Amino acid sequence: MTSQLSFDQQRNPNARGREERERILANPGFGQIFTDHMVSIDFTEGQGWHDARVEPYGPLVLDPATSVFHYAQELFEGLKAYRQANGAIVAFRPFANAARFNLSAARMAMPELPEETFVESLELLVQADRDWVPTTEGHSLYLRPFIIATQVGLGVNYPSKSYRYMAIASPAASYFAGGVKPVKVWLSTEYTRAAPGGTGFAKCGGNYAAAFVAQRQAVEQDCDQVVWLDAFEHRYVEEMGGMNLFFVFGDRLLTPALTGTLLPGITRDSILTFAAELGLTVEEGRISIEEWQDGCASGVLTEVFACGTAAVVTPVGSVKGADREWTVGDGTPGPVTLKIREELMGIQYGTRPDNHGWVHKIC
Ligand code: PLP
Ligand code: COI
């Protein structure tokens, strides 16, 4: 697939050698180390998108008055390239990320990027850095496309007239150091992530900047992650730091509905789609923290898990709030959580059938 833009491709003359790369790939962590290349495309009002290129990874030089530094007009995406058992390198639903990128762009008054250009940029980056796609089971190459406002000036009467789209790549092990170890979550009743009419559904950096204080509070409370609640009553569950949530009632799954205040996760959508094939029923609705706590006490709520590109499927083992604390099930990963995790990873790594055409071959 090619887009109308033609990409200039420059090889990195200082690309790291095999030995150094293999040493890094033996223990990549998450989001710490970047590959040898990056993609850049510029946008100027009147001219549109131009100067598409794959170039050596490296720092940017920007004027201190560049708009993004002051008004945070920026957004990002996150997806992974996987090395399958047959040697193919694939991405999982990259067109869904392209569509969400444009949904976020519309909310942030930024230009949309043609979906084919978004996907082609990632194909070219992965092809240039194909040796960086890990071979270790469960590891992957995390892809981070993003866009920043580049106009220089402090006026806020209009959005920026120029932008830069970029994509970088980072070999990734598990997002959580413990692998599938259940996480302990903190119910944030002091802070709000998103309100109706705001930017909750968009993947803009500001949502994450505003969340760090609550994430720090979670860690102080000996928890791993924040659970965000609705803005009005701090009662209904929305999502986690970088993940959506699913509640398991025996063979019924419930996930908070997309009200505009939570991110429409692609993992969430994939699970809603394939769960029926595993004999589960699914529902998008509303769940309060009382229903969560009472359901665990009575035993009708059997498991809770979080899902997202980085975190894959991660069990929630226990919950803590300002005035309450409880365990989900017996605190260990439940069978439904593990079955969903296995199915999802099976599709991504090519060991299970891809019934929905989600796997996109890159090389
Ligand atoms: N919610 C938030 C706030 C996120 O940052 C993410 C991660 O991208 C998700 C949910 C899960 O989305 P996805 O499954 O598309 O990775
Ligand atoms: C992802 O899963 O891609 C995320 O964006 C989560 C986090 C690293 C921000």
Side-chain angles (χ1 to χ4, degrees):
M1 164 135 354
T2 50
S3 55
Q4 279 130 339
L5 278 174
S6 141
F7 283 79
D8 183 41
Q9 301 198 46
Q10 300 162 30
R11 303 301 299 185
N12 186 343
N14 301 315
R16 280 152 292 183
R18 183 196 181 108
E19 228 170 84
E20 187 178 0
R21 193 174 56 239
E22 285 180 357
R23 187 177 50 72
I24 292 168
L25 289 178
N27 189 12
F30 182 85
Q32 301 295 319
I33 299 194
F34 298 89
T35 61
D36 295 315
H37 297 88
M38 63 185 190
V39 166
S40 302
I41 316 178
D42 292 315
F43 179 93
T44 314
E45 206 172 276
Q47 189 182 357
W49 292 102
H50 58 93
D51 287 302
R53 56 212 186 263
V54 178
E55 57 191 345
Y57 185 94
L60 309 180
V61 176
L62 291 168
D63 190 294
T66 300
S67 176
V68 64
F69 296 137
H70 303 274
Y71 307 126
Q73 201 191 359
E74 83 92 51
L75 61 92
F76 66 97
E77 267 303 326
L79 69 163
K80 286 173 169 173
Y82 306 87
R83 195 181 287 275
Q84 297 198 323
N86 62 5
I89 297 173
V90 306
F92 185 67
R93 306 188 67 184
F95 282 95
N97 292 90
R100 189 171 65 189
F101 184 86
N102 285 337
L103 185 78
S104 301
R107 176 62 183 82
M108 300 301 287
M110 299 173 97
E112 295 187 1
L113 184 68
E115 289 186 7
E116 316 77 64
T117 304
F118 177 95
V119 174
E120 188 183 3
S121 77
L122 300 175
E123 290 172 345
L124 293 176
L125 179 60
V126 172
Q127 283 161 10
D129 285 329
R130 59 183 300 157
D131 292 340
W132 284 95
V133 183
T135 48
T136 307
E137 202 183 321
H139 291 195
S140 56
L141 186 66
Y142 184 78
L143 306 174
R144 171 55 62 88
F146 62 102
I147 175 172
I148 56 171
T150 54
Q151 187 168 332
V152 174
L154 302 183
V156 283
N157 296 334
Y158 46 81
S160 175
K161 290 181 170 27
S162 61
Y163 297 89
R164 181 171 295 175
Y165 164 86
M166 300 191 72
I168 55 176
S170 173
S174 303
Y175 183 63
F176 292 115
V180 272
K181 200 168 106 296
V183 293
K184 183 171 178 183
V185 299
W186 169 249
L187 301 175
S188 183
T189 41
E190 187 177 346
Y191 300 106
T192 297
R193 177 180 178 277
T199 57
F201 68 89
K203 210 161 161 60
C204 59
N207 288 344
Y208 299 79
F212 289 139
V213 67
Q215 177 62 27
R216 188 168 63 191
Q217 196 174 56
V219 171
E220 282 162 9
Q221 293 289 338
D222 197 27
C223 293
D224 303 289
Q225 281 287 318
V226 184
V227 169
W228 295 106
L229 304 168
D230 74 283
F232 297 108
E233 298 181 69
H234 283 135
R235 186 166 172 219
Y236 294 98
V237 177
E238 301 219 311
E239 62 179 327
M240 270 178 32
M243 287 147 264
N244 294 112
L245 283 165
F246 275 85
F247 295 82
V248 184
F249 297 86
D251 57 8
R252 180 172 69 93
L253 297 184
L254 171 72
T255 190
L258 299 179
T259 54
T261 53
L262 55 151
L263 195 82
I266 292 157
T267 317
R268 174 189 180 280
D269 182 75
S270 307
I271 293 170
L272 284 174
T273 306
F274 72 59
E277 294 156 28
L278 303 179
L280 301 161
T281 59
V282 294
E283 189 187 332
E284 295 174 81
R286 206 159 82 144
I287 180 164
S288 68
I289 51 179
E290 291 82 11
E291 287 166 320
W292 185 353
Q293 184 171 18
D294 293 349
C296 289
S298 73
V300 292
L301 177 46
T302 43
E303 301 171 38
V304 178
F305 64 85
C307 67
T309 297
V312 194
V313 171
T314 296
V316 174
S318 54
V319 190
K320 186 175 178 184
D323 56 358
R324 58 186 87 209
E325 193 164 347
W326 71 94
T327 304
V328 179
D330 63 3
T332 65
V336 174
T337 302
L338 293 176
K339 189 155 80 168
I340 286 183
R341 184 182 162 88
E342 233 172 74
E343 177 71 15
L344 178 68
M345 292 181 71
I347 299 168
Q348 292 167 336
Y349 287 93
T351 57
R352 304 247 169 160
D354 173 26
N355 297 331
H356 303 279
W358 288 337
V359 169
H360 179 87
K361 184 159 184 229
I362 294 180
C363 53

